[in-house]
Amino acid sequence: MSRRSNPKLKLQQGLHTLRRAAKWPIWADLVTRLGVAFLLIAIVVLVHWIDRAGLHDSHDGQISFLDVVYFTMISVTTTGFGDIAPVSDRSRLIEAVIVTPIRIAVLFIFVGTAYSFVIKRTWDKWRMARIQAKLTDHIVVLGFGISGSEAVKELIARGTDPACIVVIDPTRNRVAAAEAMGCNVLEGDASSDETLLDVRIAEAQAVLVSAGRDDTSILIVLTVRHLAPDVPISVVIRTQDNELLARQAGASNVINPVSFTGLLLAGSAQGEHVADYMADLAAVGGRVQLRERPVSAEEIGRGLDQLASGGRGLRVYRDGKPYGFWEPAAQRLEAGDKVVEVIGCEESEAEVSLASKARPSKTTR
């Protein structure tokens, strides 16, 4: 969701869900509700039939089984034509103590069913379609385990609006945790085409995949790349042998937490502050930050050491190929280049603050 052009997707100040997976099929829920309602009606028919001597039919004075069914239906639906009425004290007590609570229960079942299957579902469908129509330039997080949740926390800490993040996970408590952070959520299978189309995966700014298992993560990458050929995909892979498979599946970046831990350990062996600085670069809470961005118009023609942001340029990406700050290609920036730079956290906070002030305030109901 573009912060400049799109309002937040929060319909209220609270949280919302793109779509929830039902515990069982809709038809099963409907049949169950109607079955309970008709079971209660059958109980009332039985009670009236047993106590038919306490009823009076003003038409012919006789109470048949058909009369009992008729009286039950008009009684339960509170129609009350008055042609059949309870006349004995016991019949009136039965109507007050047994039939009336059942009548209320049946009405609640029918009203609740009409609300759930007609009003609420229609409203939710319209509301979710409205949300989905505005999904663009958002970040999709597929898997909300330890890595996924930490990634979302870091994104929010770096200034990303939670309304610009969509989380998909099959586990309900993880979905609830993502909701509590203010993200758009969808409980479902991230390897399903339908699920990914629901969050407009092709319009996403980036996709982060952390399914917990390498085979599942690779399958998700394949599905995402099929639906979104141009969207950058970052995936967490825990086995080194699977890194190549992930890249072949279409991942733009493959992150191996085990390898990264090894890098930190190796760095600490060469100096006590190396690992500390590497962690400082990776976290938003550090004194310095790594940032990738397109080269600005005023920087074209300059060297990587003359960035307008004041940051220290480390690498230039040109046509997908990296160039270090020491290489001749990095001495003259060109249009379309992307630079990786180190900036101080004070500069980053100032930029985030300036962007938030410049962003228009909008509210969607």
Side-chain angles (χ1 to χ4, degrees):
M1 290 160 290
S2 174
R3 296 183 185 178
R4 297 181 180 178
S5 59
N6 292 323
K8 291 184 179 181
L9 295 185
K10 295 182 181 180
L11 301 177
Q12 302 173 350
Q13 291 298 321
L15 307 168
H16 65 277
T17 306
L18 288 173
R19 191 177 66 188
R20 288 286 192 183
K23 292 182 179 179
W24 53 5
I26 295 177
W27 63 265
D29 191 9
L30 179 61
V31 169
T32 301
R33 291 175 185 234
L34 294 179
V36 172
F38 284 114
L39 175 62
L40 293 175
I41 292 174
I43 293 174
V44 177
V45 170
L46 178 62
V47 170
H48 282 159
W49 176 251
I50 294 174
D51 190 54
R52 61 187 180 278
L55 302 176
H56 174 68
D57 187 348
S58 60
H59 174 64
D60 56 10
Q62 301 294 324
I63 299 295
S64 64
F65 182 74
L66 181 60
D67 291 332
V68 168
V69 174
Y70 164 74
F71 174 66
T72 298
M73 296 308 296
I74 64 173
S75 176
V76 168
T77 58
T78 67
T79 305
F81 294 116
D83 48 351
I84 300 179
V87 292
S88 67
D89 291 340
R90 187 177 70 175
S91 294
R92 291 176 177 175
L93 182 62
I94 289 174
E95 289 294 321
V97 176
I98 299 177
V99 178
T100 297
I102 292 178
R103 179 188 299 120
I104 295 173
V106 170
L107 288 176
F108 268 109
I109 290 174
F110 281 118
V111 171
T113 301
Y115 172 73
S116 296
F117 290 93
V118 180
I119 301 173
K120 185 176 183 298
R121 291 183 184 275
T122 301
W123 168 255
D124 286 345
K125 185 177 180 180
W126 174 83
R127 185 180 64 172
M128 294 307 108
R130 187 163 173 253
I131 292 174
Q132 290 166 345
K134 295 180 179 180
L135 280 177
T136 181
D137 201 27
H138 50 298
I139 298 174
V140 181
V141 180
L142 305 179
F144 201 71
I146 296 175
S147 298
S149 60
E150 288 299 321
V152 170
K153 291 177 183 177
E154 188 71 17
L155 285 170
I156 294 174
R158 290 172 181 260
T160 301
D161 191 338
C164 295
I165 301 173
V166 178
V167 174
I168 301 178
D169 195 281
T171 308
R172 178 153 298 188
N173 61 346
R174 291 180 178 178
V175 169
E179 280 187 323
M181 298 171 69
C183 302
N184 305 286
V185 297
L186 192 156
E187 182 181 332
D189 180 9
S191 64
S192 167
D193 286 14
E194 182 182 359
T195 302
L196 295 176
L197 289 172
D198 281 343
V199 298
R200 300 188 60 165
I201 196 73
E203 305 295 328
Q205 172 191 142
V207 176
L208 311 181
V209 181
S210 178
R213 289 172 52 100
D214 286 358
D215 53 352
T216 305
S217 295
I218 292 173
L219 175 59
I220 292 174
V221 171
L222 278 169
T223 308
V224 173
R225 182 54 72 210
H226 167 68
L227 298 174
D230 301 321
V231 174
I233 304 173
S234 298
V235 60
V236 174
I237 295 296
R238 290 170 170 76
T239 303
Q240 188 173 7
D241 293 342
N242 293 328
E243 292 184 21
L244 178 59
L245 293 176
R247 293 192 183 278
Q248 291 176 337
S252 309
N253 298 292
V254 178
I255 301 167
N256 190 325
V258 177
S259 297
F260 186 73
T261 302
L263 292 175
L264 291 178
L265 286 173
S268 64
Q270 297 177 350
E272 60 178 316
H273 302 302
V274 174
D276 179 59
Y277 192 79
M278 291 174 69
D280 206 356
L281 284 173
V284 71
R287 297 182 60 190
V288 292
Q289 292 181 26
L290 273 177
R291 181 175 68 172
E292 178 183 337
R293 62 174 178 83
V295 65
S296 64
E298 59 182 311
E299 293 170 336
I300 296 175
R302 296 184 184 180
L304 188 58
D305 57 348
Q306 298 174 324
L307 298 179
S309 64
R312 300 301 177 94
L314 301 178
R315 181 174 286 183
V316 177
Y317 283 86
R318 183 174 300 152
D319 299 325
K321 185 177 180 180
Y323 298 95
F325 61 86
W326 65 90
E327 297 183 69
Q331 306 310 311
R332 183 179 176 83
L333 299 177
E334 300 177 2
D337 286 352
K338 288 187 177 180
V339 299
V340 175
E341 62 179 345
V342 176
I343 59 174
C345 62
E346 295 83 2
E347 298 174 20
S348 176
E349 291 174 359
E351 290 180 7
V352 170
S353 176
L354 183 61
S356 63
K357 291 179 180 179
R359 191 182 309 134
S361 176
K362 297 182 180 180
T363 304
T364 300
R365 287 284 179 184

